[in-house]
Amino acid sequence: MDWAPISLAYQHDLAALIPASVLCLLGVIFARLMFNRARLTRWDGRGGEAARLETAASIVGGLFIWGAQFIALMAFDAGVVATYDPMGMAYALIMAVAALYVSARVTGAALNSSRVLAAVLVRTLFFLGMHVLAVGSLRTSGVVHWGMETLALGFAVNLALSIEAVRFQSTGTIWGTVSAGVSGWAGLMALYLISMSGFWISPTETPATLTTGLSRDDMLTWAVGLVMVLCLALGAIAAAAYWWRTSAMRHLREAIDAMPDGLGFYNADDRLILWNARYVQVNPELTAILKPGMPFIELLREGIRQNLYEHARGREEEWIAERMAARRAATNGFEQKIGDGRWLRVQDRHTRDGCIVTVVNDITDLKRDAQALAEARDAAEQANRSKSQFLANMSHEIRTPLNGVIGMIQALKRTELTEDQHEMLELMSSSSRTLQTLLSDILDLARVESGRLQLTEEPFDLARAVHEAGQLYEASALEKGLGFTVDIAAEARTWVQGDVVRLKQILTNLVSNAVKFTESGFVTLRAEAGPTRDGSPTLRFTVEDTGIGFDPETRARLFTRFEQADGGIARKFGGTGLGLAICRQLAEMMGGDLDCESELGGGSAFILTVPLRAIAAPAPVESDAATAGAVTRRGLRVLLADDHPTNRKVVELVLAAADVDLTAVEDGAQAVQAFRNGDFDLVLMDMQMPVMDGLTATRELRLHEVAEGRPRARIVMLTANALPEHVAAGQAAGADHHVAKPFDTSELLALVTEPTGSDRASAAA
């Protein structure tokens, strides 16, 4: 047995051993690079591609290592004539390929330490088998001697260097992979040289006949031929891959240049690598300095020198630090204004290897459009507020004189009139009621449009509400000679939860239209159970008449605002065309719907369907009629605050029928002074007055009561401000009740005849 250096120096042809060594090194490094690529591919979820890469790496790497093994054997001087067994050569090739493939499968993608060590051991054993089979394929005329101790030593050194290669591979870098390949190559060379130092052949006295095999020249031809074929194949594959990669990169670059967004790609050191044409267009000020390798921070500094970044003025270094911190964190992006008035949206994204992709969009047009939309929205909101204020003012200004008209009419009705005067008064009363209905419709429409119309939720007797809605127009129907009936089914004679005022508003509007458009025949209001919807019961109200009816074209636009079936300049019937539109919107707010059926000249049927929310009837409340009857209402002290003289006169005329002591003032300040100087049971307070408004005056009255310990007087807001927010404001100020102008005489008289808390206490005593 010789030492490995002696075997290398005297038993091998160094000229042939050097290319074998280089071939082995290339095979090991190639295999490791391919296996590392396959592992990354498997992590990305592409298992099929990873398996193909592992197979290719095993075949190519195995062929290189196998070729190196046999070139090294041909460099060995056996001292006798030798040939090579083709089957042994084939088995050795299979063992070399299996060494790489099996170890890759054992390692897997997780890089678990125990699996890696197992894979190293398996690979070393397979390479040992390859070496034994390759040397065993040698056929000589002498006696072969092989020292097992040198074979074991070569295996141990190969195993140690293979384990050392794992340490290099674990760094995860390209140089770590190359270093691992060099360590693996050293292990294979050590296995060969150490084991061959214990291998020799002694000649026999009688030369033996060689078995059939390949000569050394044949072996060299086959080995070199296979390697050359492999190299040519790899070269062709590499050329095709390079062409494909170049073509793909060209297409990718064209696609990047065609992107509508500006894109800049920076490496892990935040230096510019490539950018597209749009990136230059959105950063025209930086075009002169854009070049590969330019640090991103230098682009920021150049932008600051050109005064591009408005937010950085006066705090340049702090702004740069914030921008770089946000870039390292790769936040979702931000918008920045450039010095020339343009707006850019910038987004930074990190790649897996630490590179940064910066996407820049010019959003100046979007910002301009957003500003225009915001201004249009503000203008619309201002217009809506102006409209609401206008409607509130118009409501007040119209209700105030209308209150005088209706009040005077009601006062005149209580005087002695001739038949002609009574007829004229009825015409005036009818006209005023029409005007009051028109005003209410306009205000309801405004509240619905602004979303400020709110439904109340309270229990009420459904049958009573339906009867009251029908009775309002029963007299009108009888005067026209129409049959008028109100039919309430048993299931509708119950207490329900809902807004009784709005329900009656819908029903009275439908009944009013039916009476108006019917000249002969009948009008019927029917309440009954409706169809079940989504498993919940409903109520159906039907108003049917034998009136003029309408055609399908008219039906399609009947619920549109300002539309009427009786249209045109020569129309026979009046109205604004708002009632049905408001009724349908109210029905939808209640969770129901309003529809109709009709034919021209054949009458109509309007059908309202709403959810049925039946409740138990409330417990009866003990009547205070006896107590109220025992109360003496003589000498009630009333304070009236109203800036309009007509309204003050109307109240004086109405209350003249009651025994009250009335004090009238013109504004809130006079009302506060009068309240301090006198003792009043009831205050009728207008809301909109000069000097001091009614809300401020009401708060002052309540404060005065508390300060002097006086009993709480009833304060009623008697005002033309009739919107829901006005009612809420009055309650917040301390008012007990709200009466909207124009008011009904009976409503005002009911206020002065209602017993106060002190009256009840006196009666009880």
Side-chain angles (χ1 to χ4, degrees), residues 302-500:
E302 178 63 24
I304 288 177
R305 282 192 290 271
Q306 297 189 30
N307 199 25
L308 296 181
Y309 309 124
E310 183 176 298
H311 297 92
R313 294 169 187 168
R315 51 186 296 270
E316 288 79 5
E317 292 302 322
E318 181 182 356
W319 182 84
I320 289 176
E322 292 175 356
R323 178 68 182 91
M324 294 302 295
R327 184 173 176 82
R328 287 190 294 270
T331 54
N332 288 334
F334 62 94
E335 297 174 356
Q336 68 180 19
K337 189 176 182 180
I338 305 301
D340 59 1
R342 292 183 300 120
W343 279 88
L344 301 181
R345 178 183 290 126
V346 183
Q347 301 177 79
D348 297 324
R349 293 292 184 271
H350 285 180
T351 63
R352 187 171 53 192
D353 55 357
C355 297
I356 300 177
V357 178
T358 299
V359 179
V360 185
N361 299 311
D362 189 332
I363 58 171
T364 305
D365 292 340
L366 292 177
K367 281 289 186 179
R368 188 182 300 113
D369 294 343
Q371 180 66 24
L373 287 174
E375 292 174 356
R377 179 202 61 205
D378 294 341
E381 290 177 352
Q382 179 60 40
N384 188 53
R385 287 192 294 268
S386 299
K387 181 189 72 173
S388 299
Q389 184 63 41
F390 171 77
L391 287 173
N393 291 337
M394 290 303 298
S395 170
H396 181 273
E397 296 304 320
I398 294 175
R399 284 178 182 274
T400 297
L402 184 59
N403 180 63
V405 172
I406 294 177
M408 290 299 184
I409 291 173
Q410 292 175 343
L412 279 174
K413 282 184 176 180
R414 296 197 301 273
T415 64
E416 294 183 3
L417 301 172
T418 65
E419 184 176 346
D420 290 340
Q421 290 173 331
H422 184 76
E423 183 178 355
M424 288 186 290
L425 200 61
E426 285 297 329
L427 290 175
M428 293 169 59
S429 178
S430 174
S431 298
S432 64
R433 285 196 302 269
T434 301
L435 185 58
Q436 184 177 2
T437 301
L438 172 61
L439 179 61
S440 298
D441 284 348
I442 293 174
L443 292 177
D444 280 345
L445 177 62
R447 287 197 290 266
V448 169
E449 285 184 339
S450 63
R452 293 183 298 171
L453 182 62
Q454 301 293 328
L455 299 180
T456 62
E457 292 292 327
E458 58 183 4
F460 65 92
D461 186 344
L462 179 62
R464 179 179 177 181
V466 174
H467 269 299
E468 291 175 350
Q471 287 174 352
L472 286 176
Y473 292 93
E474 183 177 7
S476 300
L478 295 177
E479 287 178 3
K480 296 179 69 172
L482 302 176
F484 187 87
T485 57
V486 177
D487 183 13
I488 303 176
E491 57 270 19
R493 297 181 181 277
T494 181
W495 281 72
V496 297
Q497 187 84 8
D499 192 325
V500 62

Side-chain angles (χ1 to χ4, degrees), residues 27-60:
V28 173
I29 292 178
F30 174 81
R32 285 197 173 271
L33 289 173
M34 292 292 287
F35 284 137
N36 190 49
R37 178 70 177 274
R39 183 168 58 254
L40 295 176
T41 304
R42 194 178 299 279
W43 284 346
D44 290 339
R46 294 174 291 170
E49 184 179 348
R52 289 191 293 271
L53 287 173
E54 289 173 350
T55 303
S58 300
I59 295 173
V60 175

Side-chain angles (χ1 to χ4, degrees), residues 403 406-411 413-414 433 436 472 650-651 653-658 682 684 714 716 718 737 739-740 742-754:
N403 180 63
I406 294 177
M408 290 299 184
I409 291 173
Q410 292 175 343
K413 282 184 176 180
R414 296 197 301 273
R433 285 196 302 269
Q436 184 177 2
L472 286 176
V650 168
V651 174
L653 290 173
V654 172
L655 295 185
L682 175 65
L684 302 177
R714 281 191 301 143
V716 177
L718 187 64
H737 196 54
V739 175
F743 55 82
D744 189 84
T745 301
S746 59
E747 187 176 10
L748 184 59
L749 289 174
L751 289 174
V752 299
T753 57
E754 180 182 348

Side-chain angles (χ1 to χ4, degrees), residues 506 533 539 541 583-584 586-596 607-611:
I506 298 174
R533 292 184 177 177
L539 282 170
F541 303 92
C583 287
R584 170 167 279 186
L586 290 175
E588 292 173 353
M589 291 177 66
M590 294 176 181
D593 61 71
L594 176 62
D595 206 347
C596 63
I607 305 164
L608 169 66
T609 305
V610 295

Side-chain angles (χ1 to χ4, degrees), residues 137-433:
S137 68
L138 189 63
R139 299 289 184 264
T140 70
S141 59
V143 179
V144 176
H145 302 275
W146 202 338
M148 290 296 104
E149 66 278 9
T150 57
L151 187 61
L153 180 59
F155 171 78
V157 173
N158 185 20
L159 180 60
L161 290 173
S162 297
I163 294 174
E164 180 66 13
V166 173
R167 186 174 65 85
F168 292 117
Q169 184 78 42
S170 62
T171 62
T173 64
I174 183 66
W175 294 114
T177 303
V178 172
S179 299
V182 172
S183 182
W185 162 79
L188 287 172
M189 294 304 297
L191 171 64
Y192 175 80
L193 293 174
I194 293 175
S195 63
M196 292 304 291
S197 66
F199 180 86
W200 76 95
I201 301 173
S202 60
T204 59
E205 295 181 359
T206 304
T209 302
L210 292 177
T211 59
T212 303
L214 296 175
S215 66
R216 181 175 180 179
D217 292 339
D218 294 336
M219 179 61 192
L220 180 61
T221 300
W222 276 100
V224 172
L226 283 174
V227 171
M228 289 188 66
V229 169
L230 182 60
C231 289
L232 289 174
L234 288 177
I237 294 173
Y242 176 79
W243 176 86
W244 178 86
R245 182 180 179 86
T246 302
S247 177
M249 288 299 295
R250 184 176 65 254
H251 291 314
L252 180 60
R253 184 56 189 261
E254 291 174 355
I256 292 175
D257 278 336
M259 287 177 59
D261 304 328
L263 184 144
F265 186 70
Y266 295 78
N267 64 14
D269 295 327
D270 212 2
R271 292 180 176 272
L272 185 61
I273 297 177
L274 60 88
W275 60 94
N276 65 355
R278 183 60 178 166
Y279 195 71
V280 176
Q281 293 174 5
V282 297
N283 296 286
E285 302 85 357
L286 306 178
T287 303
I289 65 169
L290 283 178
K291 59 183 179 180
M294 169 67 70
F296 179 76
I297 193 170
E298 288 302 320
L299 296 178
L300 294 181
R301 295 190 187 279
E302 178 63 24
I304 288 177
R305 282 192 290 271
Q306 297 189 30
N307 199 25
L308 296 181
Y309 309 124
E310 183 176 298
H311 297 92
R313 294 169 187 168
R315 51 186 296 270
E316 288 79 5
E317 292 302 322
E318 181 182 356
W319 182 84
I320 289 176
E322 292 175 356
R323 178 68 182 91
M324 294 302 295
R327 184 173 176 82
R328 287 190 294 270
T331 54
N332 288 334
F334 62 94
E335 297 174 356
Q336 68 180 19
K337 189 176 182 180
I338 305 301
D340 59 1
R342 292 183 300 120
W343 279 88
L344 301 181
R345 178 183 290 126
V346 183
Q347 301 177 79
D348 297 324
R349 293 292 184 271
H350 285 180
T351 63
R352 187 171 53 192
D353 55 357
C355 297
I356 300 177
V357 178
T358 299
V359 179
V360 185
N361 299 311
D362 189 332
I363 58 171
T364 305
D365 292 340
L366 292 177
K367 281 289 186 179
R368 188 182 300 113
D369 294 343
Q371 180 66 24
L373 287 174
E375 292 174 356
R377 179 202 61 205
D378 294 341
E381 290 177 352
Q382 179 60 40
N384 188 53
R385 287 192 294 268
S386 299
K387 181 189 72 173
S388 299
Q389 184 63 41
F390 171 77
L391 287 173
N393 291 337
M394 290 303 298
S395 170
H396 181 273
E397 296 304 320
I398 294 175
R399 284 178 182 274
T400 297
L402 184 59
N403 180 63
V405 172
I406 294 177
M408 290 299 184
I409 291 173
Q410 292 175 343
L412 279 174
K413 282 184 176 180
R414 296 197 301 273
T415 64
E416 294 183 3
L417 301 172
T418 65
E419 184 176 346
D420 290 340
Q421 290 173 331
H422 184 76
E423 183 178 355
M424 288 186 290
L425 200 61
E426 285 297 329
L427 290 175
M428 293 169 59
S429 178
S430 174
S431 298
S432 64
R433 285 196 302 269

Side-chain angles (χ1 to χ4, degrees), residues 14-26:
L14 294 180
L17 194 60
I18 290 175
S21 176
V22 172
L23 193 62
C24 179
L25 178 62
L26 292 176

